C-alpha cells in the first residue's frame, strides 16, 4: 500500500478502493476458514459455500483492478458484502455476525459512490433487515440451529471477534488514510494561500476579498497599510461597517452590496468611494471589481483591486480651480483690453481726425513747420492705433477665442489686393513688388486672416528692405498644400536673433532705428497660420535678404468664387457731387465734432447724429439715410446688434412710434448700407461676418 499523498480526491478514492479490496480480501481468508470450521458443530450450511464463492470474487476484483473500471469495482465490492450479510442473516438469524457487512457496505458506499448513493444504500439495507425480521417473526424463515450449542462454542466467539476486529481495523485504516490526505492537503492549501498572500502583498494596489455577507476574507499588506490595521484585526469583519465612513457604509453601500449578491441589482465593475482609516482620515479609492461565483453559479463574493487616488483627485481639483481662475483672468484681461481699446481708440480717432483736417488745410493754410508737426501727430496716432489693434488680435488668439470662417480662397486676387495696398509705400522708397500666382490656386482658409498674414509679411518686406530693393511674392502647389513665399532683398537676419523672431514684442534691434513697428506682427502671423492648420518658417542670409514662407491646405476651386469686398473705396465716381443723408451713431462728443467738420466739406450731404443705437433705430423711418456710420461700443445696445435689426425688419421699432400708421403700412422694408471703422478692424464673426454686406 502506497503512502504517497494523493494530489486529487478522485485519484485518492481510486487508490483507497484498491486498498480496501486488498485488505478485505486478506481479512476474509481467516474469516471464511473459521466459518467453514463451524460445520463441525452446527452442521453444513449453504451460506458457507457462499462465503467461499464471495472470497474468490474479492480476489478476482483485486487482481483485475487495472482492467475493471472504478465504478464496476465499487459495485462488485458492495455486492459481495451485501450477499455475505443477507445470506448469513437468512441462514443463522440475528446471531449471525454478517451484520458487520451492512455497516461496512454503508462506509464503502459513502466513500466511493457519494452521499446520495450511500443514503439510498443505507435505507435499502435497513429495509432488507426489516423484511428478514418480519419473515422470521412470522416463521416464514426456519432457522435449524441449536442456539445453546452455537452460543457457547469457542469458534462462534472466535468468528465474531475476528469479524468485528478485522473489519473495524479496515474501516479505521481507510479513515486514517483519508485524514492523512486531508491534513496534507490542508497543509498544501495553507502553503499555497501563504504564497498567494505574499504575491498580493507585493502588489502596490489594495486587494480585498469579501464573502456574500460583506465580511473580509482576504486583504493584502497595501490595504492594511492604507487602513492602518493588522490583517488579523480585519479578517472576518464587516467591510462596510469597519472600513467605510458612516452613514455611507451601512446605509448606502451595504444595502447595494447585498442587492448585487442576491442578483437584484446589476454588478458594478468600477466605482470610486472613500475609505475610513484607523486614524479617522478618509482616503478616496478607485475600485475595480471581479465577482466570485459559488457552486450553484450564483455570486458568492467579490475580489476588488483599489488604487488610492486622493492626491490625484486633489491635483485634478486644483488644476480645475487653476484653469477656472486662469479663464476668469483671461476673461478679465479680454474685457479690460476691449474696454481700454475703446477708451484709447476714441481720443486717438479724434486726434487723427482733427490732424487730417489740419493737414488738408481746411481751417486755413499752414506753414511748412506746422505741416511737419501735423505729420508727426498723424504718424504717431496711426502707429498707436496699429499697436492697439495688434495687441487685441494677439490677446484674442492667445485666449482661444479666434473665430474662423473656412472657405476656398483664391490666392491670386488676394495677393493682388494686398500688393495694391502697399504700392504707394513701396513706390515712395523705390521698391518694386512683383507677384507670381496662377488663378487656379485656392486654399482652404479664412480669407480675412490670410489677407492679414500676407499684409504683415509684405509690409515687413517693404519696411525692412533697402531703398530701391525688390520684393517677390509667389505661390505654388506642393502635394496637398499651397506654399506662399515672400522674398526681399533686405539686410537679412543674424543667426543669433532668429530664435526670437516669432516672439511677441521682439524687433531684433529694429527698435533702435527709425523704422516704425510693434514686434507683434510675426507672432500673430504664426498663431494664425497654425490655427489654419498650416506652417510658417523663414530662411535668411546676411547681406542678401530673407525668404518667409507659409503652407496652407490646398483647396480645389469647385465653382467660381463670389466677388469679395475690399477695404478700399472706389474712385470711379470721384469728383461727382455727393447728395444724400447720413446717420452717424456715436456716443463720444469729440468724434461727433470731427465728423461734423468733415461733412461740412460735402454741402450736398445732410449729417444727422444719435448718441445711442436705440435712438438711431427710431430715426431710420423719418430720415431714410443713404449711409449709416455706427460705432460698435455703444451704451445699451451695441453697434453689431443694432446693425442686424434693419435686416430683420423695423416692426419691433415701428410699434414704439405711435401714429403715422399709413406711412408704416405703405413704406417698404429696405436694406441700408452700413459702415463701422471698428468692424473693418475686426475680421472675425463679430465684425466682417456680422450680416453687414454693404460696407461703404
Amino acid at each position: 500500500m502506497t503512502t504517497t499523498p494523493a494530489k486529487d480526491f478522485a485519484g485518492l478514492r481510486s487508490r483507497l478502493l484498491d486498498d480496501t479490496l486488498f485488505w478485505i480480501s486478506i481479512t476474509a481468508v481467516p474469516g471464511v476458514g473459521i466459518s467453514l470450521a463451524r460445520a463441525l458443530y452446527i452442521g453444513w450450511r449453504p451460506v458457507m459455500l457462499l462465503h467461499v464463492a464471495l472470497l474468490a470474487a474479492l480476489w478476482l476484483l483485486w487482481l483485475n483492478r487495472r482492467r475493471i473500471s472504478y465504478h464496476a469495482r465499487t459495485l462488485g465490492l458492495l455486492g459481495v458484502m451485501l450477499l455475505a450479510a443477507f445470506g448469513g442473516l437468512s441462514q443463522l438469524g440475528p446471531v449471525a455476525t454478517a451484520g458487520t457487512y451492512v455497516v461496512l457496505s454503508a462506509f464503502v458506499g459513502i466513500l466511493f459512490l457519494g452521499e446520495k448513493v450511500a443514503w439510498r444504500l443505507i435505507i435499502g439495507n435497513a429495509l432488507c433487515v426489516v423484511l428478514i425480521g418480519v419473515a422470521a417473526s412470522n416463521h416464514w424463515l426456519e432457522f435449524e440451529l441449536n442456539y445453546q450449542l452455537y452460543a457457547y462454542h469457542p469458534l462462534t466467539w472466535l468468528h465474531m471477534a475476528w469479524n468485528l476486529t478485522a473489519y473495524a481495523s479496515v474501516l479505521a485504516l481507510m479513515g486514517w488514510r483519508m485524514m492523512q490526505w486531508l491534513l496534507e492537503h490542508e497543509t498544501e492549501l495553507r502553503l499555497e494561500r501563504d504564497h498567494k498572500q505574499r504575491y498580493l502583498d507585493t502588489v502596490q494596489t489594495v486587494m480585498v476579498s469579501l464573502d456574500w455577507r460583506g465580511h473580509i476574507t482576504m486583504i493584502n499588506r497595501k490595504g492594511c497599510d492604507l487602513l492602518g490595521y493588522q490583517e488579523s484585526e480585519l479578517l472576518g469583519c464587516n467591510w462596510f461597517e469597519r472600513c467605510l465612513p458612516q452613514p455611507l457604509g451601512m446605509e448606502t453601500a451595504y444595502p447595494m452590496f447585498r442587492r448585487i449578491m442576491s442578483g437584484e441589482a446589476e454588478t458594478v465593475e468600477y466605482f470610486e468611494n472613500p475609505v475610513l482609516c484607523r486614524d479617522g482620515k478618509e482616503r478616496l479609492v478607485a475600485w475595480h471589481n471581479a465577482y466570485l461565483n459559488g457552486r450553484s453559479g450564483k455570486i458568492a463574493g467579490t475580489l476588488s483591486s483599489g488604487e488610492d487616488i486622493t492626491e490625484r483627485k486633489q491635483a485634478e481639483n486644483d488644476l480645475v480651480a487653476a484653469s477656472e481662475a486662469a479663464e476668469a483672468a483671461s476673461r478679465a484681461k479680454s474685457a479690460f483690453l476691449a474696454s481700454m481699446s475703446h477708451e484709447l481708440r476714441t481720443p486717438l480717432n479724434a486726434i487723427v481726425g482733427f490732424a487730417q483736417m489740419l493737414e488738408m488745410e481746411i481751417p486755413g493754410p499752414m506753414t511748412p513747420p506746422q505741416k511737419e508737426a501735423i505729420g508727426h501727430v498723424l504718424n504717431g496716432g496711426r502707429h498707436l492705433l496699429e499697436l492697439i489693434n495688434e495687441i487685441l488680435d494677439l490677446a484674442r488668439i492667445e485666449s482661444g477665442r479666434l473665430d474662423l470662417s473656412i472657405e476656398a480662397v483664391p490666392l491670386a486676387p488676394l495677393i493682388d489686393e494686398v500688393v495694391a495696398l502697399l504700392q504707394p509705400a513701396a513706390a515712395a522708397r523705390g521698391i518694386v513688388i512683383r507677384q507670381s500666382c496662377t488663378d487656379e490656386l485656392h486654399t482652404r482658409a479664412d480669407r480675412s486672416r490670410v489677407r492679414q498674414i500676407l499684409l504683415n509679411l509684405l509690409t515687413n518686406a517693404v519696411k525692412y528692405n533697402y531703398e530701391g530693393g525688390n520684393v517677390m511674392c509667389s505661390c505654388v502647389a506642393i502635394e496637398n498644400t499651397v506654399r506662399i513665399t515672400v522674398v526681399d532683398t533686405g539686410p537679412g537676419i543674424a543667426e543669433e536673433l532668429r530664435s526670437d523672431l516669432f516672439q511677441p514684442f521682439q524687433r531684433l534691434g529694429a527698435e533702435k532705428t527709425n523704422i516704425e513697428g510693434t514686434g507683434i506682427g510675426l507672432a500673430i502671423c504664426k498663431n494664425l497660420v497654425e490655427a489654419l492648420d498650416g506652417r510658417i518658417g523663414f530662411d535668411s542670409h546676411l547681406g542678401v535678404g530673407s525668404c518667409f514662407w507659409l503652407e496652407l491646405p490646398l483647396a480645389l476651386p469647385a465653382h467660381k468664387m463670389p466677388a469679395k469686398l475690399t477695404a478700399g473705396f472706389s474712385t470711379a465716381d470721384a469728383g461727382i457731387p455727393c447728395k444724400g443723408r447720413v446717420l452717424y451713431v456715436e456716443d463720444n462728443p469729440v468724434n461727433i465734432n470731427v465728423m461734423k467738420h468733415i461733412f461740412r466739406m460735402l454741402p450736398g450731404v445732410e449729417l444727422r447724429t444719435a448718441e445711442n443705437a436705440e435712438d438711431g433705430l427710431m430715426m431710420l423711418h423719418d430720415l431714410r439715410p443713404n449711409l449709416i456710420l455706427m460705432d460698435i461700443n455703444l451704451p445699451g445696445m451695441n453697434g453689431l446688434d443694432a446693425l442686424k435689426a434693419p435686416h430683420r425688419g423695423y416692426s419691433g421699432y415701428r410699434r414704439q412710434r405711435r401714429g403715422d400708421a399709413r406711412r408704416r403700412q405703405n413704406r417698404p422694408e429696405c436694406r441700408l448700407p452700413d459702415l463701422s471703422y471698428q468692424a473693418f478692424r475686426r475680421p472675425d464673426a463679430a465684425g466682417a461676418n456680422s450680416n453687414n454686406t454693404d460696407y461703404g
Side-chain angles (χ1 to χ4, degrees):
M1 178 182 66
T2 178
T3 59
T4 302
K7 298 298 180 183
D8 57 275
F9 189 68
L12 175 68
R13 288 202 308 178
S14 180
R15 281 185 283 274
L16 281 178
L17 177 60
D18 292 340
D19 291 345
T20 302
L21 278 172
F22 176 76
W23 286 106
I24 289 179
S25 300
I26 293 295
T27 304
V29 173
V32 171
I34 298 172
S35 177
L36 293 176
R38 291 182 301 173
L40 298 175
Y41 63 93
I42 63 173
W44 175 258
R45 303 285 180 174
V47 71
M48 297 177 182
L49 182 60
L50 177 62
H51 287 167
V52 175
L54 295 178
L55 176 62
L58 285 173
W59 282 102
L60 285 173
L61 288 173
W62 187 80
L63 293 173
N64 294 281
R65 62 188 181 278
R66 297 290 181 266
R67 292 189 292 270
I68 302 175
S69 67
Y70 170 83
H71 286 91
R73 283 177 286 153
T74 303
L75 294 175
L77 177 60
L78 287 173
V80 168
M81 289 187 292
L82 293 177
L83 286 174
F86 295 118
L89 288 174
S90 61
Q91 291 288 315
L92 303 176
V95 297
T97 59
T100 56
Y101 297 119
V102 176
V103 178
L104 186 60
S105 65
F107 179 80
V108 169
I110 199 168
L111 181 61
F112 299 118
L113 293 180
E115 181 182 2
K116 293 182 179 180
V117 176
W119 278 110
R120 293 171 183 172
L121 183 64
I122 291 171
I123 294 172
N125 289 343
L127 290 176
C128 290
V129 172
V130 169
L131 290 175
I132 292 174
V134 171
S137 300
N138 290 289
H139 297 281
W140 296 336
L141 290 177
E142 296 292 340
F143 303 116
E144 297 178 0
L145 181 65
N146 186 346
Y147 282 99
Q148 291 292 328
L149 177 63
Y150 185 80
Y152 293 102
H153 200 280
L155 288 176
T156 301
W157 289 99
L158 179 61
H159 187 258
M160 182 180 295
W162 176 256
N163 283 346
L164 293 177
T165 303
Y167 294 117
S169 299
V170 172
L171 292 176
L173 178 63
M174 297 302 104
W176 177 81
R177 287 287 310 281
M178 285 291 297
M179 288 300 299
Q180 282 293 109
W181 181 84
L182 291 174
L183 290 173
E184 292 173 359
H185 193 62
E186 181 183 8
T187 302
E188 292 178 359
L189 290 176
R190 188 181 299 111
L191 291 174
E192 186 177 356
R193 177 186 176 278
D194 292 342
H195 290 161
K196 292 180 179 178
Q197 186 68 40
R198 290 178 183 175
Y199 298 152
L200 293 175
D201 288 341
T202 62
V203 177
Q204 295 305 306
T205 57
V206 179
M207 299 295 296
V208 179
S209 179
L210 307 179
D211 62 14
W212 63 274
R213 299 170 301 173
H215 291 180
I216 302 172
T217 58
M218 184 280 298
I219 184 168
N220 67 343
R221 184 178 302 167
K222 182 69 174 180
C224 294
D225 293 342
L226 176 67
L227 297 171
Y229 292 97
Q230 297 293 325
E231 182 184 9
S232 58
E233 296 178 289
L234 293 175
L235 292 178
C237 296
N238 188 304
W239 168 264
F240 302 92
E241 182 179 7
R242 173 68 66 89
C243 302
L244 295 188
Q246 303 304 324
L248 170 67
M250 296 303 294
E251 294 185 8
T252 303
Y254 186 59
M256 185 64 183
F257 175 82
R258 294 305 302 268
R259 290 178 60 201
I260 293 175
M261 291 297 102
S262 63
E264 298 177 5
E266 294 291 332
T267 57
V268 180
E269 303 295 334
Y270 175 85
F271 67 93
E272 299 174 2
N273 72 348
V275 296
L276 181 64
C277 303
R278 190 168 197 164
D279 57 6
K281 296 181 180 179
E282 294 184 9
R283 307 289 295 180
L284 186 63
V285 179
W287 297 100
H288 294 270
N289 301 319
Y291 294 89
L292 310 177
N293 294 329
R295 294 181 179 178
S296 62
K298 296 182 179 179
I299 299 177
T302 62
L303 177 63
S304 303
S305 169
E307 180 184 1
D308 185 0
I309 59 172
T310 306
E311 284 75 16
R312 189 180 76 190
K313 278 293 183 181
Q314 184 61 44
E316 290 177 357
N317 294 336
D318 293 344
L319 183 61
V320 170
S323 177
E324 292 176 350
E327 290 178 2
S330 177
R331 289 192 296 269
K333 180 187 73 173
S334 300
F336 172 77
L337 289 174
S339 175
M340 288 303 299
S341 69
H342 180 257
E343 298 302 322
L344 289 173
R345 278 173 173 166
T346 299
L348 280 174
N349 285 332
I351 293 171
V352 172
F354 280 114
Q356 285 176 331
M357 286 190 295
L358 291 173
E359 185 183 39
M360 297 167 64
E361 299 183 345
I362 294 176
M366 291 191 303
T367 64
Q370 289 175 330
K371 287 186 176 183
E372 182 181 357
I374 291 299
H376 288 306
V377 172
L378 283 173
N379 289 335
R382 288 165 179 161
H383 178 66
L384 284 176
L385 283 175
E386 182 182 359
L387 177 61
I388 292 170
N389 290 324
E390 289 185 343
I391 290 176
L392 286 176
D393 265 345
L394 184 62
R396 188 179 298 112
I397 293 170
E398 290 180 346
S399 64
R401 294 184 293 107
L402 180 66
D403 296 313
L404 298 174
S405 178
I406 304 300
E407 58 182 330
V409 178
L411 290 174
L414 187 59
I415 293 175
D416 291 341
E417 175 186 332
V418 174
V419 170
L421 289 173
L422 293 175
Q423 282 291 4
R429 301 187 62 207
I431 296 173
V432 177
I433 304 178
R434 297 182 178 89
Q435 65 265 27
S436 174
C437 186
T438 61
D439 294 336
E440 290 76 16
L441 281 179
H442 290 62
T443 179
R444 285 197 56 78
D446 185 303
R447 184 185 187 279
S448 61
R449 294 302 183 181
V450 176
R451 180 182 181 276
Q452 184 179 356
I453 296 167
L454 291 175
L455 185 60
N456 192 287
L457 294 179
L458 286 168
T459 300
N460 286 348
V462 172
K463 282 198 308 183
Y464 298 104
N465 209 331
Y466 292 121
E467 297 263 346
N470 294 293
V471 175
M472 181 66 184
C473 181
S474 61
C475 52
V476 62
I478 303 176
E479 295 182 351
N480 295 324
T481 62
V482 175
R483 170 171 283 214
I484 305 172
T485 306
V486 177
V487 181
D488 64 61
T489 57
I493 303 170
E495 183 72 30
E496 62 273 12
L497 300 177
R498 295 181 183 180
S499 60
D500 295 329
L501 184 63
F502 291 105
Q503 298 301 317
F505 305 104
Q506 293 291 335
R507 299 197 62 201
L508 309 184
E511 66 275 5
K512 301 175 183 178
T513 68
N514 60 355
I515 301 176
E516 293 183 352
T518 62
I520 307 176
L522 287 178
I524 293 176
C525 287
K526 184 176 187 297
N527 283 280
L528 288 176
V529 170
E530 291 176 351
L532 295 171
D533 294 329
R535 298 190 307 145
I536 187 170
F538 73 99
D539 188 19
S540 184
H541 300 279
L542 286 176
V544 177
S546 301
C547 172
F548 283 81
W549 57 265
L550 64 140
E551 292 180 352
L552 296 173
L554 177 67
L556 297 178
H559 54 80
K560 184 178 179 180
M561 302 299 297
K564 293 294 182 178
L565 297 171
T566 67
F569 297 93
S570 174
T571 60
D573 298 327
I576 299 177
C578 295
K579 292 184 179 181
R581 291 178 295 275
V582 176
L583 174 62
Y584 181 43
V585 184
E586 171 61 70
D587 62 323
N588 187 277
V590 177
N591 287 349
I592 293 175
N593 196 16
V594 172
M595 199 63 68
K596 286 180 178 179
H597 279 81
I598 293 174
F599 276 92
R600 283 172 187 166
M601 296 183 298
L602 303 173
V605 179
E606 177 189 358
L607 176 67
R608 299 287 295 275
T609 62
E611 294 185 357
N612 55 65
E614 289 81 2
D615 290 345
L617 290 171
M618 298 292 289
M619 296 170 64
L620 288 177
H621 292 285
D622 292 332
L623 185 61
R624 300 294 292 171
N626 302 99
L627 176 68
I628 302 173
L629 299 176
M630 185 176 293
D631 187 17
I632 291 178
N633 294 293
L634 292 169
M637 180 186 297
N638 64 46
L640 294 176
D641 291 337
L643 291 177
K644 296 175 184 177
H647 303 299
R648 294 193 297 263
Y650 300 108
S651 58
Y653 299 98
R654 288 185 300 180
R655 283 194 294 269
Q656 297 179 18
R657 299 177 60 90
R658 304 299 181 182
D660 203 7
R662 181 178 302 171
R663 183 176 61 182
R664 290 201 302 269
Q665 293 175 358
N666 297 333
R667 180 169 294 171
E669 303 294 339
C670 62
R671 295 172 58 86
L672 297 178
D674 46 64
L675 175 68
S676 170
Y677 170 74
Q678 293 187 19
F680 284 128
R681 298 297 303 175
R682 298 178 60 179
D684 54 19
N689 298 325
S690 59
N691 292 330
N692 305 328
T693 59
D694 298 319
Y695 289 96

